[in-house]
PDB file of all heavy atoms in Angstrom:
ATOM      1  N   HIS B 306       6.930  14.323  -4.417  1.00  0.00           N
ATOM      2  CA  HIS B 306       8.383  14.147  -4.414  1.00  0.00           C
ATOM      3  C   HIS B 306       8.900  13.701  -5.779  1.00  0.00           C
ATOM      4  O   HIS B 306      10.088  13.736  -6.038  1.00  0.00           O
ATOM      5  CB  HIS B 306       8.851  13.195  -3.308  1.00  0.00           C
ATOM      6  CG  HIS B 306       8.269  11.805  -3.369  1.00  0.00           C
ATOM      7  ND1 HIS B 306       8.506  10.938  -4.395  1.00  0.00           N
ATOM      8  CD2 HIS B 306       7.453  11.145  -2.515  1.00  0.00           C
ATOM      9  CE1 HIS B 306       7.872   9.797  -4.175  1.00  0.00           C
ATOM     10  NE2 HIS B 306       7.209   9.897  -3.038  1.00  0.00           N
ATOM     11  N   SER B 307       8.000  13.247  -6.651  1.00  0.00           N
ATOM     12  CA  SER B 307       8.419  12.764  -7.971  1.00  0.00           C
ATOM     13  C   SER B 307       7.380  13.149  -9.019  1.00  0.00           C
ATOM     14  O   SER B 307       6.193  13.263  -8.720  1.00  0.00           O
ATOM     15  CB  SER B 307       8.556  11.236  -7.970  1.00  0.00           C
ATOM     16  OG  SER B 307       9.505  10.809  -7.034  1.00  0.00           O
ATOM     17  N   ASP B 308       7.834  13.336 -10.237  1.00  0.00           N
ATOM     18  CA  ASP B 308       6.916  13.463 -11.368  1.00  0.00           C
ATOM     19  C   ASP B 308       6.391  12.076 -11.712  1.00  0.00           C
ATOM     20  O   ASP B 308       7.137  11.086 -11.646  1.00  0.00           O
ATOM     21  CB  ASP B 308       7.640  14.041 -12.591  1.00  0.00           C
ATOM     22  CG  ASP B 308       8.091  15.482 -12.360  1.00  0.00           C
ATOM     23  OD1 ASP B 308       7.740  16.053 -11.307  1.00  0.00           O
ATOM     24  OD2 ASP B 308       8.800  16.017 -13.231  1.00  0.00           O
ATOM     25  N   VAL B 309       5.142  12.002 -12.083  1.00  0.00           N
ATOM     26  CA  VAL B 309       4.527  10.691 -12.349  1.00  0.00           C
ATOM     27  C   VAL B 309       3.603  10.789 -13.555  1.00  0.00           C
ATOM     28  O   VAL B 309       2.959  11.821 -13.773  1.00  0.00           O
ATOM     29  CB  VAL B 309       3.686  10.217 -11.124  1.00  0.00           C
ATOM     30  CG1 VAL B 309       3.062   8.847 -11.399  1.00  0.00           C
ATOM     31  CG2 VAL B 309       4.516  10.172  -9.849  1.00  0.00           C
ATOM     32  N   VAL B 310       3.570   9.723 -14.350  1.00  0.00           N
ATOM     33  CA  VAL B 310       2.510   9.564 -15.344  1.00  0.00           C
ATOM     34  C   VAL B 310       1.718   8.315 -14.979  1.00  0.00           C
ATOM     35  O   VAL B 310       2.259   7.211 -14.926  1.00  0.00           O
ATOM     36  CB  VAL B 310       3.058   9.418 -16.778  1.00  0.00           C
ATOM     37  CG1 VAL B 310       1.906   9.222 -17.769  1.00  0.00           C
ATOM     38  CG2 VAL B 310       3.884  10.643 -17.166  1.00  0.00           C
ATOM     39  N   MET B 311       0.434   8.508 -14.680  1.00  0.00           N
ATOM     40  CA  MET B 311      -0.450   7.389 -14.388  1.00  0.00           C
ATOM     41  C   MET B 311      -1.128   6.966 -15.678  1.00  0.00           C
ATOM     42  O   MET B 311      -1.557   7.821 -16.459  1.00  0.00           O
ATOM     43  CB  MET B 311      -1.501   7.835 -13.365  1.00  0.00           C
ATOM     44  CG  MET B 311      -2.416   6.769 -12.796  1.00  0.00           C
ATOM     45  SD  MET B 311      -3.743   6.087 -13.829  1.00  0.00           S
ATOM     46  CE  MET B 311      -4.647   7.564 -14.295  1.00  0.00           C
ATOM     47  N   GLU B 312      -1.193   5.664 -15.919  1.00  0.00           N
ATOM     48  CA  GLU B 312      -1.929   5.171 -17.089  1.00  0.00           C
ATOM     49  C   GLU B 312      -2.897   4.091 -16.646  1.00  0.00           C
ATOM     50  O   GLU B 312      -2.512   3.140 -15.942  1.00  0.00           O
ATOM     51  CB  GLU B 312      -0.946   4.602 -18.126  1.00  0.00           C
ATOM     52  CG  GLU B 312      -1.642   4.071 -19.373  1.00  0.00           C
ATOM     53  CD  GLU B 312      -0.674   3.445 -20.385  1.00  0.00           C
ATOM     54  OE1 GLU B 312       0.524   3.776 -20.374  1.00  0.00           O
ATOM     55  OE2 GLU B 312      -1.143   2.601 -21.169  1.00  0.00           O
ATOM     56  N   ASN B 313      -4.156   4.227 -17.044  1.00  0.00           N
ATOM     57  CA  ASN B 313      -5.139   3.204 -16.704  1.00  0.00           C
ATOM     58  C   ASN B 313      -4.947   1.956 -17.560  1.00  0.00           C
ATOM     59  O   ASN B 313      -4.596   2.052 -18.742  1.00  0.00           O
ATOM     60  CB  ASN B 313      -6.556   3.741 -16.939  1.00  0.00           C
ATOM     61  CG  ASN B 313      -7.128   4.429 -15.716  1.00  0.00           C
ATOM     62  OD1 ASN B 313      -6.760   4.093 -14.584  1.00  0.00           O
ATOM     63  ND2 ASN B 313      -8.033   5.372 -15.925  1.00  0.00           N
ATOM     64  N   LEU B 314      -5.186   0.806 -16.977  1.00  0.00           N
ATOM     65  CA  LEU B 314      -5.205  -0.454 -17.717  1.00  0.00           C
ATOM     66  C   LEU B 314      -6.667  -0.862 -17.879  1.00  0.00           C
ATOM     67  O   LEU B 314      -7.341  -1.193 -16.902  1.00  0.00           O
ATOM     68  CB  LEU B 314      -4.408  -1.532 -16.968  1.00  0.00           C
ATOM     69  CG  LEU B 314      -2.961  -1.152 -16.650  1.00  0.00           C
ATOM     70  CD1 LEU B 314      -2.268  -2.282 -15.884  1.00  0.00           C
ATOM     71  CD2 LEU B 314      -2.191  -0.828 -17.933  1.00  0.00           C
ATOM     72  N   ILE B 315      -7.124  -0.775 -19.124  1.00  0.00           N
ATOM     73  CA  ILE B 315      -8.535  -0.991 -19.445  1.00  0.00           C
ATOM     74  C   ILE B 315      -8.667  -2.284 -20.245  1.00  0.00           C
ATOM     75  O   ILE B 315      -7.961  -2.469 -21.238  1.00  0.00           O
ATOM     76  CB  ILE B 315      -9.078   0.167 -20.303  1.00  0.00           C
ATOM     77  CG1 ILE B 315      -8.738   1.532 -19.689  1.00  0.00           C
ATOM     78  CG2 ILE B 315     -10.564   0.012 -20.558  1.00  0.00           C
ATOM     79  CD1 ILE B 315      -9.563   1.945 -18.534  1.00  0.00           C
ATOM     80  N   GLY B 316      -9.576  -3.156 -19.829  1.00  0.00           N
ATOM     81  CA  GLY B 316      -9.862  -4.365 -20.599  1.00  0.00           C
ATOM     82  C   GLY B 316      -8.602  -5.146 -20.965  1.00  0.00           C
ATOM     83  O   GLY B 316      -7.830  -5.557 -20.098  1.00  0.00           O
ATOM     84  N   ASP B 317      -8.387  -5.288 -22.277  1.00  0.00           N
ATOM     85  CA  ASP B 317      -7.277  -6.102 -22.783  1.00  0.00           C
ATOM     86  C   ASP B 317      -5.890  -5.555 -22.460  1.00  0.00           C
ATOM     87  O   ASP B 317      -4.883  -6.224 -22.745  1.00  0.00           O
ATOM     88  CB  ASP B 317      -7.381  -6.252 -24.317  1.00  0.00           C
ATOM     89  CG  ASP B 317      -8.496  -7.206 -24.688  1.00  0.00           C
ATOM     90  OD1 ASP B 317      -8.914  -7.983 -23.801  1.00  0.00           O
ATOM     91  OD2 ASP B 317      -8.952  -7.166 -25.847  1.00  0.00           O
ATOM     92  N   ASP B 318      -5.826  -4.346 -21.906  1.00  0.00           N
ATOM     93  CA  ASP B 318      -4.509  -3.846 -21.469  1.00  0.00           C
ATOM     94  C   ASP B 318      -3.863  -4.826 -20.493  1.00  0.00           C
ATOM     95  O   ASP B 318      -2.646  -4.794 -20.294  1.00  0.00           O
ATOM     96  CB  ASP B 318      -4.648  -2.484 -20.780  1.00  0.00           C
ATOM     97  CG  ASP B 318      -4.862  -1.342 -21.771  1.00  0.00           C
ATOM     98  OD1 ASP B 318      -4.531  -1.529 -22.956  1.00  0.00           O
ATOM     99  OD2 ASP B 318      -5.348  -0.282 -21.341  1.00  0.00           O
ATOM    100  N   MET B 319      -4.665  -5.688 -19.898  1.00  0.00           N
ATOM    101  CA  MET B 319      -4.119  -6.691 -18.975  1.00  0.00           C
ATOM    102  C   MET B 319      -3.102  -7.598 -19.663  1.00  0.00           C
ATOM    103  O   MET B 319      -2.207  -8.148 -19.012  1.00  0.00           O
ATOM    104  CB  MET B 319      -5.242  -7.528 -18.356  1.00  0.00           C
ATOM    105  CG  MET B 319      -6.022  -6.810 -17.288  1.00  0.00           C
ATOM    106  SD  MET B 319      -4.997  -6.318 -15.849  1.00  0.00           S
ATOM    107  CE  MET B 319      -4.891  -7.885 -14.971  1.00  0.00           C
ATOM    108  N   ASP B 320      -3.250  -7.745 -20.982  1.00  0.00           N
ATOM    109  CA  ASP B 320      -2.272  -8.572 -21.722  1.00  0.00           C
ATOM    110  C   ASP B 320      -0.873  -7.962 -21.687  1.00  0.00           C
ATOM    111  O   ASP B 320       0.112  -8.642 -21.945  1.00  0.00           O
ATOM    112  CB  ASP B 320      -2.708  -8.721 -23.195  1.00  0.00           C
ATOM    113  CG  ASP B 320      -4.031  -9.460 -23.317  1.00  0.00           C
ATOM    114  OD1 ASP B 320      -4.410 -10.156 -22.345  1.00  0.00           O
ATOM    115  OD2 ASP B 320      -4.701  -9.317 -24.362  1.00  0.00           O
ATOM    116  N   ARG B 321      -0.810  -6.668 -21.403  1.00  0.00           N
ATOM    117  CA  ARG B 321       0.488  -5.979 -21.360  1.00  0.00           C
ATOM    118  C   ARG B 321       1.197  -6.122 -20.014  1.00  0.00           C
ATOM    119  O   ARG B 321       2.351  -5.708 -19.874  1.00  0.00           O
ATOM    120  CB  ARG B 321       0.289  -4.490 -21.659  1.00  0.00           C
ATOM    121  CG  ARG B 321      -0.231  -4.203 -23.075  1.00  0.00           C
ATOM    122  CD  ARG B 321      -0.760  -2.771 -23.182  1.00  0.00           C
ATOM    123  NE  ARG B 321       0.190  -1.804 -22.663  1.00  0.00           N
ATOM    124  CZ  ARG B 321      -0.141  -0.626 -22.113  1.00  0.00           C
ATOM    125  NH1 ARG B 321      -1.409  -0.284 -22.019  1.00  0.00           N
ATOM    126  NH2 ARG B 321       0.795   0.199 -21.672  1.00  0.00           N
ATOM    127  N   VAL B 322       0.498  -6.702 -19.028  1.00  0.00           N
ATOM    128  CA  VAL B 322       1.063  -6.748 -17.668  1.00  0.00           C
ATOM    129  C   VAL B 322       2.434  -7.422 -17.600  1.00  0.00           C
ATOM    130  O   VAL B 322       3.347  -6.898 -16.953  1.00  0.00           O
ATOM    131  CB  VAL B 322       0.058  -7.368 -16.674  1.00  0.00           C
ATOM    132  CG1 VAL B 322       0.732  -7.721 -15.349  1.00  0.00           C
ATOM    133  CG2 VAL B 322      -1.094  -6.389 -16.428  1.00  0.00           C
ATOM    134  N   PRO B 323       2.649  -8.557 -18.282  1.00  0.00           N
ATOM    135  CA  PRO B 323       3.984  -9.170 -18.207  1.00  0.00           C
ATOM    136  C   PRO B 323       5.093  -8.214 -18.658  1.00  0.00           C
ATOM    137  O   PRO B 323       6.177  -8.212 -18.068  1.00  0.00           O
ATOM    138  CB  PRO B 323       3.871 -10.379 -19.146  1.00  0.00           C
ATOM    139  CG  PRO B 323       2.416 -10.729 -19.110  1.00  0.00           C
ATOM    140  CD  PRO B 323       1.694  -9.412 -19.013  1.00  0.00           C
ATOM    141  N   ASP B 324       4.823  -7.399 -19.670  1.00  0.00           N
ATOM    142  CA  ASP B 324       5.822  -6.421 -20.103  1.00  0.00           C
ATOM    143  C   ASP B 324       5.925  -5.250 -19.129  1.00  0.00           C
ATOM    144  O   ASP B 324       7.020  -4.815 -18.774  1.00  0.00           O
ATOM    145  CB  ASP B 324       5.483  -5.886 -21.503  1.00  0.00           C
ATOM    146  CG  ASP B 324       5.697  -6.941 -22.571  1.00  0.00           C
ATOM    147  OD1 ASP B 324       6.539  -7.837 -22.348  1.00  0.00           O
ATOM    148  OD2 ASP B 324       5.021  -6.883 -23.613  1.00  0.00           O
ATOM    149  N   LEU B 325       4.769  -4.749 -18.718  1.00  0.00           N
ATOM    150  CA  LEU B 325       4.757  -3.600 -17.803  1.00  0.00           C
ATOM    151  C   LEU B 325       5.470  -3.935 -16.492  1.00  0.00           C
ATOM    152  O   LEU B 325       6.116  -3.082 -15.886  1.00  0.00           O
ATOM    153  CB  LEU B 325       3.313  -3.173 -17.510  1.00  0.00           C
ATOM    154  CG  LEU B 325       2.535  -2.610 -18.697  1.00  0.00           C
ATOM    155  CD1 LEU B 325       1.058  -2.432 -18.333  1.00  0.00           C
ATOM    156  CD2 LEU B 325       3.134  -1.281 -19.147  1.00  0.00           C
ATOM    157  N   ALA B 326       5.352  -5.210 -16.071  1.00  0.00           N
ATOM    158  CA  ALA B 326       5.963  -5.631 -14.804  1.00  0.00           C
ATOM    159  C   ALA B 326       7.476  -5.493 -14.842  1.00  0.00           C
ATOM    160  O   ALA B 326       8.132  -5.487 -13.801  1.00  0.00           O
ATOM    161  CB  ALA B 326       5.569  -7.071 -14.488  1.00  0.00           C
ATOM    162  N   GLN B 327       8.037  -5.410 -16.048  1.00  0.00           N
ATOM    163  CA  GLN B 327       9.490  -5.332 -16.165  1.00  0.00           C
ATOM    164  C   GLN B 327       9.981  -3.944 -16.547  1.00  0.00           C
ATOM    165  O   GLN B 327      11.176  -3.739 -16.765  1.00  0.00           O
ATOM    166  CB  GLN B 327       9.973  -6.356 -17.196  1.00  0.00           C
ATOM    167  CG  GLN B 327       9.639  -7.770 -16.756  1.00  0.00           C
ATOM    168  CD  GLN B 327      10.129  -8.817 -17.728  1.00  0.00           C
ATOM    169  OE1 GLN B 327      11.312  -9.070 -17.839  1.00  0.00           O
ATOM    170  NE2 GLN B 327       9.198  -9.409 -18.438  1.00  0.00           N
ATOM    171  N   GLU B 328       9.057  -2.993 -16.686  1.00  0.00           N
ATOM    172  CA  GLU B 328       9.464  -1.626 -17.048  1.00  0.00           C
ATOM    173  C   GLU B 328      10.183  -0.964 -15.882  1.00  0.00           C
ATOM    174  O   GLU B 328       9.738  -1.068 -14.740  1.00  0.00           O
ATOM    175  CB  GLU B 328       8.224  -0.797 -17.388  1.00  0.00           C
ATOM    176  CG  GLU B 328       7.945  -0.748 -18.848  1.00  0.00           C
ATOM    177  CD  GLU B 328       6.948   0.355 -19.187  1.00  0.00           C
ATOM    178  OE1 GLU B 328       6.846   1.347 -18.445  1.00  0.00           O
ATOM    179  OE2 GLU B 328       6.256   0.194 -20.191  1.00  0.00           O
TER     180      GLU B 328
END
Side-chain angles (χ1 to χ4, degrees):
Chain B
H306 59 64
S307 300
D308 294 354
V309 181
V310 179
M311 187 286 304
E312 180 183 337
N313 270 332
L314 304 179
I315 310 283
D317 286 342
D318 283 340
M319 285 298 281
D320 297 341
R321 296 165 50 209
V322 167
D324 289 333
L325 294 171
Q327 298 181 72
E328 264 195 26

